[in-house]
């Protein structure tokens, strides 16, 4: 085949949906899960995407695609209700349903099939993937060969090392769970005597708000803790959002590695903070309870680090807290913990095996990824491996953003199809990043004005 895809989350589905229009491209995507589900543990009723519905699988590369969100609404008979709603940000449950609609109809996507390994077959000058049924025993499998491979491995819930010994939900003991599993444990969390939420991103805010809304007034018994200096709002100004454009990606790629790393750490409010509406809803819920029942029993403290965790014999959990700015420490006993501690990209190395040695790396040992989303490989590897996700260190803060997904997919497909079917925009931001044009700007793009 021409292209073998590993992973069919939104990034993989985006590429599969755009590729579906090109019948001459022989492509298959393998996904180990039995069906598509997008963050099922966080599909809390009423929560919405943080990006407009136009950030679907295809629209920002091909607005006429039959796989757009609007095509999904037409298929479901909901175009007119959506039109009258005049909404730009759709519910997360509907985005999940839209992606599942596409996944179930794309003939190139195969669920329940796990790729065990990817290697380079020098004799055939093709990549060799070992694929087996995900529900079957380990080992064995059949060989699949492809000229190119795209890795859409996604991310996995991250638990800081200090908290890992306590993770679990033992019978009779305090559940300590990642926010990715929140809905799975929600009833136990609501029934717990005291609940602590750790982490102040969007997931932490949504979990805290849901718990607050469903626990008794005056007896909320909630703590919300974060290492961040504040429960800060997401940068969502119109010009601020231009950090999520191909223009900014090109600028970011042109910077030295050390500068990129410094920038990424500094830009946490672009992707780790909380949207204004959620913060407003939390404040409104707290205010309403204060007016009706007195000051709510809900403690929200930024600037706090959890230094240790210990399970007690009575089933509770002790958290050792530290406030570096204040120079103080304290112990908190709680009966449930939700860890809204984010996600980490799934590493490529276990899948690539010996092929990982052919991947060129930066000074920190991370894979180098070209401007058109190819892994930089040694010259003796004749094929191309693309990555769609996991390249934040080379492409910047917009890497996991749904709004850049279709553009990235189009960039990949333009390299695989001689017709280069997707004309990519020469300019995408009013902001001019830097004083010189980024080296991998689209050909014939006008130089940005200076001064």
């Amino acid at each position: 085949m021409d292209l073998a895809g590993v992973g069919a989350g939104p990034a993989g589905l985006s590429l599969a949906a755009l590729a579906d229009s090109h019948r001459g491209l022989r492509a298959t995507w393998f996904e180990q899960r039995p069906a598509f589900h997008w963050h099922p543990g966080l599909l809390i009723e009423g929560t919405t995407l943080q990006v407009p519905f136009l950030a679907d699988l295809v629209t920002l590369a091909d607005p006429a695609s039959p796989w757009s969100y609007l095509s999904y609404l037409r298929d479901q008979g909901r175009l007119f209700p959506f039109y009258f709603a005049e909404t730009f940000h759709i519910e997360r449950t509907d985005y999940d349903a839209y992606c599942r609609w596409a996944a179930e109809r794309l003939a190139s996507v195969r669920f329940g099939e796990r790729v065990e390994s990817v290697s380079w077959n020098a004799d055939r000058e093709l990549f060799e993937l070992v694929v087996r049924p995900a529900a079957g025993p380990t080992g064995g499998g059949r060989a699949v060969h492809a000229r190119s491979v795209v890795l859409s491995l996604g991310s996995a819930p991250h638990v800081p090392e200090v908290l890992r010994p306590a993770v679990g939900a033992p019978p009779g003991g305090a559940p300590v769970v990642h926010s990715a599993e929140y809905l799975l444990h929600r009833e136990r969390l609501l029934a717990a005597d005291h609940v602590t939420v750790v982490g102040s991103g969007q997931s932490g805010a949504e979990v805290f708000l849901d718990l607050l809304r469903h626990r008794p007034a005056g007896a909320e018994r909630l703590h919300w803790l974060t290492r961040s200096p504040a429960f800060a709002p997401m940068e969502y100004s119109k010009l601020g959002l231009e950090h999520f454009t191909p223009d900014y990606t090109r600028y970011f790629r042109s910077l030295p590695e050390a500068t990129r790393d410094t920038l990424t750490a500094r830009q946490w409010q672009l992707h780790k903070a909380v949207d204004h509406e959620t913060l407003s809803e939390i404040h409104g819920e707290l205010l309403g309870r204060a007016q009706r029942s007195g000051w709510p029993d809900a403690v929200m403290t930024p600037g706090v680090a959890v230094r240790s965790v210990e399970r007690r014999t009575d089933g509770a959990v002790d958290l050792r807290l530290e406030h570096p700015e204040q120079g103080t420490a304290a112990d908190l006993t709680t009966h449930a913990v939700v860890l809204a501690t984010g996600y980490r990209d799934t590493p490529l190395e276990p899948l690539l095996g010996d092929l990982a040695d052919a991947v060129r790396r930066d000074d920190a040992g991370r894979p180098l990824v070209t401007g058109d989303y190819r892994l930089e490989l040694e010259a003796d590897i004749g094929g191309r491996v693309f990555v769609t996700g996991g390249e934040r260190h080379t492409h910047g803060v917009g890497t996991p953003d749904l709004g850049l997904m279709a553009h990235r997919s189009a960039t990949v497909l333009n390299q695989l199809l001689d017709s280069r079917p997707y004309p990519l925009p020469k300019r995408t931001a009013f902001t001019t990043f830097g004083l010189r044009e980024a080296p991998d700007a689209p050909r014939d793009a006008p130089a940005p004005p200076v001064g």
Side-chain angles (χ1 to χ4, degrees), residues 228-305:
S228 300
F231 295 104
M234 191 83 74
E235 167 55 72
Y236 208 71
S237 65
K238 303 306 180 186
L239 292 180
L241 288 174
E242 292 193 340
H243 287 84
F244 299 93
T245 60
D247 282 13
Y248 184 75
T249 299
R250 287 191 291 271
Y251 163 74
F252 184 87
R253 279 189 45 75
S254 71
L255 300 173
E257 178 184 332
T259 304
R260 293 200 303 261
D261 289 345
T262 301
L263 264 179
T264 301
R266 236 177 32 215
Q267 292 172 331
W268 63 274
Q269 263 187 276
L270 288 171
H271 62 104
K272 289 186 177 181
V274 186
D275 71 50
H276 292 256
E277 185 175 349
T278 305
L279 289 175
S280 178
E281 289 175 352
I282 290 172
H283 187 270
E285 184 69 28
L286 292 168
L287 178 61
R289 286 173 177 248
Q291 292 169 344
R292 295 187 299 270
S293 309
W295 210 264
D297 186 7
V299 178
M300 303 186 301
T301 310
V304 172

Side-chain angles (χ1 to χ4, degrees), residues 4-316:
V6 184
L13 281 182
S14 171
L15 194 50
L18 283 178
D20 186 64
S21 300
H22 306 285
R23 302 301 182 186
L25 180 71
R26 297 172 300 161
T28 303
W29 277 261
F30 302 99
E31 169 58 55
Q32 63 182 340
R33 295 176 299 170
F36 181 91
H37 288 289
W38 186 69
H39 297 301
L42 280 170
L43 297 180
I44 301 169
E45 183 179 356
T47 55
T48 60
L49 288 185
Q50 293 174 270
V51 292
F53 74 90
L54 293 172
D56 61 16
L57 300 174
V58 293
T59 293
L60 289 176
D62 182 5
S65 170
W67 301 105
S68 70
Y69 177 72
L70 291 180
S71 294
Y72 159 73
L73 290 180
R74 181 181 61 187
D75 182 75
Q76 302 296 301
R78 290 197 283 123
L79 258 181
F80 271 90
F82 182 73
Y83 164 64
F84 292 127
E86 297 184 2
T87 186
F88 213 43
H89 292 83
I90 62 175
E91 290 201 8
R92 198 172 294 165
T93 52
D94 200 38
Y95 180 79
D96 175 65
Y98 154 65
C99 287
R100 190 159 50 254
W101 168 84
E104 291 171 352
R105 287 161 176 77
L106 284 164
S108 59
V109 179
R110 298 180 181 176
F111 284 89
E113 298 206 43
R114 176 183 176 87
V115 177
E116 291 282 305
S117 63
V118 179
S119 59
W120 175 247
N121 188 318
D123 293 334
R124 290 194 176 202
E125 294 190 332
L126 296 170
F127 290 103
E128 183 169 297
L129 293 75
V130 176
V131 183
R132 67 169 180 83
T138 58
R142 71 185 192 279
V144 173
H145 296 92
R147 291 189 175 89
S148 298
V149 174
V150 58
L151 305 177
S152 305
L153 304 186
S155 59
H158 171 69
V159 176
E161 187 173 353
V162 70
L163 297 170
R164 291 174 192 170
V167 170
V176 178
V177 298
H178 194 275
S179 57
E181 298 182 335
Y182 172 67
L183 289 181
L184 181 64
H185 300 280
R186 185 171 179 267
E187 294 308 313
R188 281 191 67 184
L189 294 166
L190 289 175
D193 183 61
H194 179 277
V195 185
T196 300
V197 179
V198 179
S200 63
Q202 185 66 21
S203 297
E206 290 173 354
V207 167
F208 179 77
L209 177 59
D210 188 64
L211 291 169
L212 181 63
R213 283 172 167 166
H214 293 91
R215 289 174 70 87
E220 293 84 0
R221 303 275 290 152
L222 292 172
H223 266 69
W224 186 17
L225 309 173
T226 178
R227 290 186 305 172
S228 300
F231 295 104
M234 191 83 74
E235 167 55 72
Y236 208 71
S237 65
K238 303 306 180 186
L239 292 180
L241 288 174
E242 292 193 340
H243 287 84
F244 299 93
T245 60
D247 282 13
Y248 184 75
T249 299
R250 287 191 291 271
Y251 163 74
F252 184 87
R253 279 189 45 75
S254 71
L255 300 173
E257 178 184 332
T259 304
R260 293 200 303 261
D261 289 345
T262 301
L263 264 179
T264 301
R266 236 177 32 215
Q267 292 172 331
W268 63 274
Q269 263 187 276
L270 288 171
H271 62 104
K272 289 186 177 181
V274 186
D275 71 50
H276 292 256
E277 185 175 349
T278 305
L279 289 175
S280 178
E281 289 175 352
I282 290 172
H283 187 270
E285 184 69 28
L286 292 168
L287 178 61
R289 286 173 177 248
Q291 292 169 344
R292 295 187 299 270
S293 309
W295 210 264
D297 186 7
V299 178
M300 303 186 301
T301 310
V304 172
V306 180
R307 295 304 184 195
S308 66
V309 58
E310 183 178 350
R311 285 193 176 272
R312 295 160 44 127
T313 56
D314 63 1

